[in-house]
């Protein structure tokens, strides 16, 4: 089969949804009907193929995105099953970056749920064509028509039903295909035997109404069909499918199907729709990147004959093969053992072993080509977002932008002997997860970890115990305050020590000025003549900077201060670097105390995205947290974006509070912005 035909018959898709909408169950059924697995696993039983981590099996949720490959109607479908919980939104973000199409699973009872909105915004950001599968049609309270209405109202989505549920005596019996105007039902428990038949009389009127709506939708997208519609002619199914595919690829329409994954109903038509409507790598725009040698933008087409370029979108520590780097190959091809270059770092690598992944199982490949999603073993110094490319045609693709961590906690080993193992384990997890950060509070010396939410950090703590055998103690860290002065001040420091033989002598005069534009402190010498030799200036500056690490209010580092050395004196025998270093330190502390020191607190730039109906409660809560509301803007789908500056000390627990205020539908992101003087009662506290 020629390479181009292979590429046209390739689909790189994701399956995503709000937590518990049934996306992993849907993926499990897709694998079963395509012959990829021979027994259907269940999330509730902890044996779903794509939920392979122990934490996923226990909690019944997806934590990490898993990749697999299956085949349907001579088409290769690469599937990534993504998490639904908001704490693991980065897993969705990196999957979106490398996918061509998306299946969004909706619960027929819950409809558009909070994380659905987040996922939808992410898909809009990357302009990903998508299908919607309304799942759980067998549940009491399932309402397909209400879900359609919610998608139009809450997501501003151009959805068009290509199926409607066939219901008899409130029981879900099958679906009606609105393109062919046939009824479909599944005759066995496994859902393998499909029967097509005429639409029952009880459903005919409703089916005709929806069929006419579908005709109008496709007629509006295609002049030829518009003429046929005006003439009252029927459309042939192939015409409708062609226009729906073109509209889906442009984002003008989103086909909606329905079924019950748990009851094995509706999955084969969903697979047909993936092949029929979602794009192949040939249907998506060419990727753009920067040539690191010339600095110019270049394009790469999904052509196996083009120069090789692949994006690393995920790093995983595998207990059997070591570090795995997941790649999406955008152009060209490469054989096992062939050299490539990391365009981000400039380092040469060798693709010594390449695997096609099936969740946590794997098969070796000799060749990879444009359109492939694979994993490479043994790549050193490779990070998420790096580009691997042909050494003679370097290209750096656009990196993946991840949200910043929003929750921080202190962590330490229970035993001193575990310190090195904990540090190594945290470094490996941080390499895998771009939204997990490790650092040290310079003031308290605590080791800090930061993540996207309480559940995120809880899972990492669990992984430390199970995978790395380190049981840490965790606690709440202190806010990293800073100190500064409010008025200029002058002072001096003198260090005189006389012992037998040589003594020590250093004398320094300083002037301190508030300087809001200065990060940390700025040192300047204005000493004229020979009062102090030039060789001692660096020692004085070192002493000043050392003293500035701990202010006089709470021992916090001093910032926003300009330090000017105005004078001093030296002794021709007793002066030394040590003496002037100590004198500089004394002079700084003496002068600093006269400058009316005050506390500075870290201010976070916070962006809250909330449905409009919760906006009042969200703003009231932010105001109570001493926030300055910067601006409010309307966004798509009846949502509002609030930008605010909020003290970090007020943001602890905000994740939980915001979910409570908005029934889990609002999301937020924050990043450090600046430091601000702490006022009145807060400073006293």
């Amino acid at each position: 089969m020629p390479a181009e035909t292979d590429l046209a018959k390739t689909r790189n898709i994701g399956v995503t949804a709000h937590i518990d909408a049934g996306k992993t169950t849907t993926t499990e059924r897709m694998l079963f009907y395509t012959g990829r697995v021979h027994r259907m696993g269940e999330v509730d039983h902890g044996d779903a193929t794509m939920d392979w981590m122990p934490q996923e099996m226990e909690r019944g949720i997806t934590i990490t995105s898993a990749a697999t490959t299956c085949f349907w109607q001579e088409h290769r479908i690469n599937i990534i099953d993504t998490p639904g919980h908001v704490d693991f939104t980065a897993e969705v973000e990196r999957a979106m970056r490398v996918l061509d199409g998306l299946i969004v699973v909706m619960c027929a009872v819950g409809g558009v749920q909070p994380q659905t909105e987040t996922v939808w915004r992410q898909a809009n950001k990357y302009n990903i064509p998508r299908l919607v599968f309304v799942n759980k049609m067998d549940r009491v309270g399932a309402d397909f028509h209400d879900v359609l209405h919610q998608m139009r109202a809450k997501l501003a989505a151009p959805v068009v039903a290509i199926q409607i549920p066939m219901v008899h005596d409130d029981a879900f019996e099958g679906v009606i295909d609105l393109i062919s105007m046939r009824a479909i039902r599944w005759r066995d428990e496994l859902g393998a035997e499909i029967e097509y038949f005429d639409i029952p009389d009880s459903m005919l009127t409703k089916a005709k109404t929806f069929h006419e709506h579908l005709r109008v939708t496709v007629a509006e997208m295609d002049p030829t069909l518009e003429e046929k519609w005006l003439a009252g002619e029927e459309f042939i199914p192939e015409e409708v499918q062609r226009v729906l595919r073109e509209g889906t690829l442009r984002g003008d329409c989103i086909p909606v199907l329905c079924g019950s994954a748990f009851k094995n109903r509706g999955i084969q038509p969903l697979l047909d729709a993936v092949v029929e409507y979602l794009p192949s790598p040939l249907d998506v725009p060419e990727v753009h990147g920067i040539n690191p040698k010339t600095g110019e933008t270049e394009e790469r087409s999904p052509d196996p004959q083009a120069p090789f370029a692949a994006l690393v979108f995920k790093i995983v520590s595998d207990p059997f093969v070591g570090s795995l780097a997941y790649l999406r190959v955008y152009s060209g091809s490469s054989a096992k053992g062939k050299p490539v270059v990391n365009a981000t770092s400039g380092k040469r690598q060798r693709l010594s072993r390449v695997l096609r992944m099936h969740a946590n199982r794997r098969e070796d490949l000799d060749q990879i080509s444009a359109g492939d999603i694979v994993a490479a073993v043994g790549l050193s110094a490779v990070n998420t977002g790096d580009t691997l490319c042909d050494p003679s045609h370097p290209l750096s693709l656009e990196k993946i932008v991840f949200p910043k961590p929003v929750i921080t906690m202190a962590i330490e080993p229970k035993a001193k002997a575990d310190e090195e193992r904990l540090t190594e384990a945290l470094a490996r997890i941080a390499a895998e997860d771009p939204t997990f950060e490790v650092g040290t509070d310079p003031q308290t010396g605590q080791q800090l970890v930061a993540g996207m939410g309480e559940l995120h950090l809880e899972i990492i703590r669990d992984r430390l115990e199970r995978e790395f055998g380190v049981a840490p103690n965790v606690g709440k860290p202190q806010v990293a305050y800073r100190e500064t002065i409010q008025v200029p001040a002058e002072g001096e420091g003198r260090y005189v020590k006389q012992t037998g033989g040589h003594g020590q002598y250093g004398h320094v005069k300083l002037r301190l000025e508030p300087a809001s534009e200065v990060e940390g402190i700025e040192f300047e010498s204005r000493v004229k003549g020979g009062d102090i030799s030039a060789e001692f200036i660096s020692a004085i500056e070192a002493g000043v900077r050392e003293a500035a690490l701990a202010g006089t209010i709470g021992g916090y580092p001093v910032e926003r201060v300009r330090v000017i050395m105005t004078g001093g004196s030296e002794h021709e025998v007793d002066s030394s670097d040590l003496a002037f270093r100590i004198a500089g330190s004394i002079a700084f502390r003496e002068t600093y105390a006269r400058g009316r020191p005050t506390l500075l607190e870290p201010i976070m730039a916070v962006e809250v995205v909330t449905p409009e109906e919760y906006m009042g409660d969200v703003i009231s809560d932010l105001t109570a947290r001493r926030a300055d509301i910067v601006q409010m803007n309307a966004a798509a789908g009846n949502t509002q974006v609030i930008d605010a500056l909020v003290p970090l000390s007020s943001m602890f627990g905000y994740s939980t509070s915001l979910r409570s205020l908005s029934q889990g539908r609002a999301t937020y992101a924050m990043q450090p912005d600046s430091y601000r003087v702490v006022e009145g009662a807060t400073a006293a506290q």
Side-chain angles (χ1 to χ4, degrees), residues 358-654:
H358 179 50
N360 64 333
R361 299 195 293 278
R362 56 197 75 79
E363 59 186 82
D364 281 274
L365 298 174
D366 293 325
Q367 179 96 5
I368 56 175
S369 184
D372 282 343
I373 292 179
V374 294
V377 181
L379 295 177
S380 59
V382 170
N383 298 310
T384 301
D386 287 355
T387 304
L388 300 179
C389 54
D390 185 332
S392 56
H393 297 87
L395 186 77
S396 182
L397 298 171
E398 184 184 351
K399 280 188 166 288
I400 310 169
V401 179
F402 294 101
K404 288 283 182 186
V406 295
I407 285 186
T408 311
M409 71 179 182
I411 190 167
E412 63 182 19
K414 285 184 178 174
K416 188 77 175 170
D418 288 338
E419 202 166 297
E420 192 175 323
R421 286 169 63 206
L422 177 64
T423 303
E424 186 183 321
L426 291 174
R428 284 176 64 182
I429 294 173
E432 289 181 27
D433 186 349
T435 59
F436 175 70
E437 292 181 358
V438 183
T440 304
D441 188 318
Q443 183 55 38
T444 64
Q446 288 176 302
Q447 189 162 33
L448 304 180
V449 292
M452 297 305 295
E454 285 97 340
L455 179 61
H456 187 195
L457 294 179
E458 185 187 323
I459 296 292
I460 283 167
R461 183 183 176 184
D462 194 36
R463 286 187 63 195
L464 287 171
E465 292 187 24
R466 294 192 193 206
E467 290 179 36
F468 302 99
V470 183
N473 291 324
V474 297
K476 189 176 177 182
Q478 300 293 314
V479 174
Y481 289 100
R482 298 288 184 266
E483 296 186 22
T484 192
I485 56 172
Q486 299 179 76
V487 296
E490 294 190 1
E492 61 184 317
R494 194 185 300 268
Y495 180 66
V496 181
K497 190 172 183 182
Q498 196 62 48
T499 57
H502 281 306
Q504 298 283 359
Y505 181 90
H507 173 217
V508 177
K509 293 180 180 179
L510 297 179
R511 175 179 170 83
L512 268 57
E513 298 175 351
S516 58
E517 75 280 5
V518 171
E519 286 188 19
I521 65 165
E522 184 181 277
F523 182 85
E524 178 187 349
S525 173
R526 293 183 186 171
V527 175
K528 292 189 173 76
D531 290 347
I532 298 177
S533 302
E535 65 192 83
F536 295 129
I537 301 297
S538 60
I540 294 167
E541 182 178 353
V544 166
R545 292 193 178 278
E546 195 176 293
L549 291 175
T552 58
I553 302 177
Y556 299 110
V558 175
E559 294 206 347
R560 298 185 181 180
V561 173
R562 181 174 289 108
V563 181
I564 302 163
M565 187 168 72
T566 56
S569 61
E570 64 177 74
H571 188 280
E572 60 184 23
V573 175
D574 292 347
S575 289
S576 65
D577 279 353
L578 176 63
F580 272 110
R581 184 170 182 157
I582 295 171
S585 180
I586 294 169
F588 180 85
R589 281 196 289 269
E590 291 285 332
T591 313
Y592 177 74
R594 298 174 185 171
R596 280 180 39 208
T598 185
L599 273 184
L600 293 169
E601 64 180 337
I603 303 299
M604 310 302 287
V606 179
E607 181 187 78
V608 183
V609 181
T610 176
E612 200 163 345
E613 58 261 43
Y614 306 112
M615 191 161 170
D617 292 338
V618 171
I619 289 175
S620 296
D621 182 65
L622 284 171
T623 305
R625 294 173 186 270
R626 299 187 290 130
D628 290 337
I629 307 297
V630 178
Q631 63 179 9
M632 294 175 283
N633 294 310
N638 196 34
T639 58
Q640 293 281 337
V641 180
I642 304 165
D643 289 317
L645 297 174
V646 194
L648 175 61
S649 59
S650 303
M651 290 302 290
F652 287 115
Y654 186 63

Side-chain angles (χ1 to χ4, degrees), residues 65 83 86-98 122 125-126 311-315 326 383-386 398-406 429-437 450-452 456 607 668-672:
S65 52
V86 67
D87 282 12
F88 307 106
T89 188
E91 286 289 332
V92 184
E93 187 80 24
R94 59 174 154 200
M96 295 276 189
R97 173 68 173 79
V98 298
Q122 288 172 312
K125 182 168 88 174
Y126 291 109
L311 183 74
V312 178
F313 68 94
K314 184 178 169 76
I315 304 287
Y326 279 80
N383 298 310
T384 301
D386 287 355
E398 184 184 351
K399 280 188 166 288
I400 310 169
V401 179
F402 294 101
K404 288 283 182 186
V406 295
I429 294 173
E432 289 181 27
D433 186 349
T435 59
F436 175 70
E437 292 181 358
M452 297 305 295
H456 187 195
E607 181 187 78
Y668 82 105
M670 71 177 184
Q671 58 189 37

Side-chain angles (χ1 to χ4, degrees), residues 178-198:
L178 298 172
I179 297 175
S180 65
M181 285 300 277
R182 292 186 301 173
I184 308 170
R185 66 178 161 216
W186 288 262
R187 293 189 293 188
D188 62 325
E189 282 296 312
L190 278 178
E193 295 181 29
I194 305 175
E195 180 185 2
Y196 296 88
F197 59 101
D198 290 338

Side-chain angles (χ1 to χ4, degrees), residues 48-252:
T49 307
M50 304 300 273
D51 283 353
W52 55 270
M53 288 175 68
Q55 295 88 347
E56 294 178 314
M57 295 176 188
E58 289 171 8
R59 288 172 168 82
I61 62 171
T62 303
I63 291 167
T64 181
S65 52
T68 189
T69 300
C70 58
F71 292 85
W72 183 255
Q73 293 182 1
E74 298 182 359
H75 284 67
R76 180 182 61 181
I77 305 176
N78 296 320
I79 304 174
I80 296 181
D81 176 35
T82 64
H85 197 285
V86 67
D87 282 12
F88 307 106
T89 188
E91 286 289 332
V92 184
E93 187 80 24
R94 59 174 154 200
M96 295 276 189
R97 173 68 173 79
V98 298
L99 294 174
D100 299 330
L102 195 64
I103 298 172
V104 181
V105 180
M106 300 269 188
C107 173
V109 180
V112 176
Q113 294 169 286
Q115 188 65 3
T116 315
E117 298 179 65
T118 306
V119 167
W120 204 266
R121 284 195 294 268
Q122 288 172 312
N124 285 343
K125 182 168 88 174
Y126 291 109
N127 296 317
I128 300 179
R130 66 211 84 154
L131 302 172
V132 173
F133 180 66
V134 180
N135 190 28
K136 302 191 177 184
M137 285 305 310
D138 58 306
R139 291 266 299 272
V140 175
D143 191 335
F144 177 77
H145 311 298
D146 184 54
V147 176
L148 286 177
H149 173 73
Q150 286 186 43
M151 283 191 282
R152 292 184 182 117
K154 292 182 178 180
L155 306 174
V159 292
V160 54
I162 60 172
Q163 292 178 349
I164 58 171
M166 186 166 58
V167 179
H168 181 67
D169 291 337
D170 292 331
F172 174 64
E173 294 199 336
V175 300
I176 293 170
D177 183 342
L178 298 172
I179 297 175
S180 65
M181 285 300 277
R182 292 186 301 173
I184 308 170
R185 66 178 161 216
W186 288 262
R187 293 189 293 188
D188 62 325
E189 282 296 312
L190 278 178
E193 295 181 29
I194 305 175
E195 180 185 2
Y196 296 88
F197 59 101
D198 290 338
I199 299 170
D201 292 342
S202 59
M203 292 292 301
L204 197 54
T205 303
K206 180 182 281 189
K208 284 181 176 177
T209 303
F210 273 86
H211 177 67
E212 187 57 26
H213 181 264
L214 175 61
R215 276 166 46 84
V216 170
T217 302
V218 295
E220 288 173 347
M221 293 190 290
D222 186 89
T224 308
L225 292 190
E226 187 175 29
E227 288 177 14
K228 291 183 76 170
W229 182 77
L230 290 170
E233 296 178 31
E234 267 301 322
F235 303 159
I236 59 173
E238 289 75 15
E239 289 177 320
V240 177
Q241 288 170 336
R242 174 184 59 79
V243 175
L244 281 175
R245 177 179 177 78
E246 292 167 358
T248 303
L249 298 185
R250 288 194 306 268
D252 291 344

